[in-house]
Amino acid sequence: MFKKTLENLRAYDPGPSVDEIKDMYGLKRMIKLDSNENVYGASPNVRNAIIDDALLPELYPDCQNSDLRRELSRRLGIREDRFLFGAGLDEIIVLISRAFLEPGTSMVMAWPTFYEYYCHAQIEGAATKKIPCDQNGKHDWKAMLEAIDETTKVVWICNPNNPTGTYLTKTELDQFVQAVPENVLIVIDEAYIDFVTAKDFPNGLNYLESKENVLVLRTFSKSYGLASFRIGYAIGSLPVIEEIGKVRPPFNNPRLSQVAALAGLKDDTFKEACVLKNREVLSMTTAFLDKKGISYFDTQANFIYIKVAEPKQVALYCKQKGFLINPFQDGVRVTIGTMEDMKLFLQILEQAILETSAEPSK
Ligand SMILES: *Cc1c(COP(=O)(O)O)cnc(C)c1O
């Protein structure tokens, strides 16, 4: 009765809710450092914009996202017909997979990277080639190139990479983009680009002029603090945008989401302040980790991957103390919180590492 490709997949497991966890451990406050949301909230303009907006609940939203499209086009200097909007990048990843992948095809991705790339390739029945990141947590782009073969339709570059926070430099990505065959779509996921400060970081938009097979992804969920509105977009060549447009549900962004994103987009001051604060707290965090001899990957994002011996146990310990973080294979990914929360968190983390690395008693 069901698609064969679903057999080995499981639905997204959100775990207990924040309130349930608080009850479970008797906590007054739970600090969410597990989803890279904006710890400073969203622009106050968003609130005003959605309150001022007449709701028109009975009408379908503008399926073109016209106002937002126009403003983005103006700001980025890219033609309006090169944009495609989705209910967050999550949906855009679904649409890309739907449009490009099927049984007999393959895609290439880093590992670890954003999990949704993998999940939707599986659903479409495509082969997934996971190329381990190098010892510094970076995409091994040369190995990724080698993994591309005649079945490959899509290659995913997450820049900066979630969960490691690392990035490919302009020189590296230039070489990569040049070397990928023209009939393979290169998706550059720039969900965290606003947090980047590295001078040699490549802006994916610069490839669009010369490369029809590049698609750049951006979202309002992270730096703009609008995760709950579910709105993100892809920018690419006309043929690619048209093809993906065929599988897009036409009314996939509610009216309020469009209004919220536009108000957020126009408030440069708010976003810049968040990015600055993120940098400050990140410096404090890395100084602490350096002093304690705890290793981590250099990050350009609003999260950091900290190496620990027992990631699951460390995450559980932190949860019991009121901090949600995300365990991975050899470390934990932690959203950079506010200065105050992060100072508290680092104390807990240090304890967690001490407690969980103790020799088991015989
Ligand atoms: C958060 C995230 C997304 C998804 O963001 P949306 O909220 O669905 O727009 C996509 N890619 C990466 C790398 C992310 O971290």
Side-chain angles (χ1 to χ4, degrees):
M1 183 166 140
F2 302 108
K3 266 173 102 163
K4 192 136 186 60
T5 56
L6 301 186
E7 261 170 22
N8 297 320
L9 293 171
R10 261 175 292 164
Y12 181 72
D13 174 13
S17 72
V18 169
D19 285 339
E20 283 164 350
I21 297 169
K22 274 162 62 184
D23 285 349
M24 216 183 304
Y25 301 116
L27 301 165
K28 283 207 191 65
R29 195 174 160 224
M30 187 85 215
I31 297 163
K32 275 190 92 276
L33 302 179
D34 62 331
S35 301
N36 307 336
E37 292 141 332
N38 192 325
V39 296
Y40 306 104
S43 161
N45 297 357
V46 169
R47 189 164 214 275
N48 298 338
I50 57 181
I51 289 172
D52 292 346
D53 189 71
L55 263 166
L56 296 177
E58 71 282 17
L59 300 185
Y60 281 107
D62 169 9
C63 84
Q64 287 298 323
N65 261 303
S66 310
D67 295 342
L68 182 60
R69 181 186 294 269
R70 194 173 316 111
E71 182 66 16
L72 279 169
S73 161
R74 193 181 67 74
R75 285 174 174 252
L76 299 173
I78 290 177
R79 284 174 44 175
E80 288 186 27
D81 54 7
R82 304 300 166 89
F83 290 81
L84 181 125
F85 292 86
L89 290 185
D90 279 355
E91 188 190 33
I92 296 205
I93 294 163
V94 174
L95 300 180
I96 294 167
S97 309
R98 188 129 191 230
F100 286 83
L101 301 176
E102 61 191 323
T105 68
S106 71
M107 65 81 149
V108 175
M109 66 189 279
W111 193 257
T113 189
F114 195 57
Y115 186 74
E116 302 291 308
Y117 313 150
Y118 173 79
C119 178
H120 296 289
Q122 293 288 105
I123 293 171
E124 300 303 336
T128 48
K129 301 186 185 184
K130 297 186 204 161
I131 309 302
C133 288
D134 69 15
Q135 60 188 22
N136 299 315
K138 276 178 67 161
H139 281 39
D140 185 347
W141 61 274
K142 288 182 181 159
M144 290 176 77
L145 269 182
E146 276 167 30
I148 294 173
D149 63 22
E150 62 286 351
T151 67
T152 308
K153 299 291 174 191
V154 181
V155 54
W156 301 88
I157 298 288
C158 189
N159 213 32
N161 187 36
N162 178 2
T164 58
T166 54
Y167 70 104
L168 289 184
T169 64
K170 180 171 184 311
T171 320
E172 291 163 339
L173 193 57
D174 283 356
Q175 291 177 69
F176 181 82
V177 168
Q178 284 310 325
V180 171
E182 308 254 303
N183 59 354
V184 175
L185 182 71
I186 307 169
V187 183
I188 308 177
D189 182 341
E190 296 183 337
Y192 299 97
I193 191 167
D194 292 330
F195 296 104
V196 170
T197 51
K199 296 275 180 294
D200 56 353
F201 187 89
N203 181 340
L205 300 179
N206 292 337
Y207 298 112
L208 296 181
E209 201 141 317
S210 59
K211 289 285 175 183
E212 283 215 336
N213 59 330
V214 169
L215 187 70
V216 176
L217 308 188
R218 300 205 175 161
T219 177
F220 285 94
S221 293
K222 310 287 164 51
S223 56
Y224 291 96
L226 298 175
S228 92
F229 284 102
R230 313 307 304 127
I231 187 158
Y233 56 97
I235 313 173
S237 64
L238 267 189
V240 168
I241 292 293
E242 273 174 11
E243 223 44 38
I244 303 173
K246 293 180 185 173
V247 297
R248 183 185 77 101
F251 304 107
N252 56 350
N253 288 123
R255 181 185 167 87
L256 273 192
S257 301
Q258 301 182 25
V259 169
L262 183 60
L265 179 64
K266 287 180 172 170
D267 190 349
D268 295 310
T269 319
F270 174 81
K271 192 181 71 176
E272 280 159 20
C274 294
V275 169
L276 271 181
K277 281 187 269 191
N278 178 65
R279 271 287 130 188
E280 261 172 45
V281 183
L282 179 59
S283 302
M284 182 282 290
T285 303
T286 53
F288 178 95
L289 297 172
D290 288 341
K291 197 171 89 192
K292 302 290 178 181
I294 302 169
S295 55
Y296 58 88
F297 289 137
D298 279 325
T299 179
Q300 288 292 319
N302 68 337
F303 58 83
I304 186 165
Y305 191 96
I306 302 172
K307 300 278 197 62
V308 299
E310 301 289 345
K312 282 207 175 108
Q313 288 184 35
V314 167
L316 178 62
Y317 185 96
C318 294
K319 181 155 80 176
Q320 290 166 347
K321 302 285 178 185
F323 291 91
L324 281 182
I325 60 173
N326 237 297
F328 283 84
Q329 196 165 1
D330 63 351
V332 289
R333 190 197 67 199
V334 180
T335 305
I336 304 297
T338 62
M339 188 63 93
E340 195 185 347
D341 288 348
M342 206 61 186
K343 281 182 175 164
L344 292 171
F345 168 74
L346 289 170
Q347 301 302 323
I348 302 290
L349 177 73
E350 191 185 5
Q351 284 170 23
I353 292 174
L354 280 175
E355 302 265 334
T356 57
S357 60
E359 289 285 319
S361 50
K362 300 228 166 85

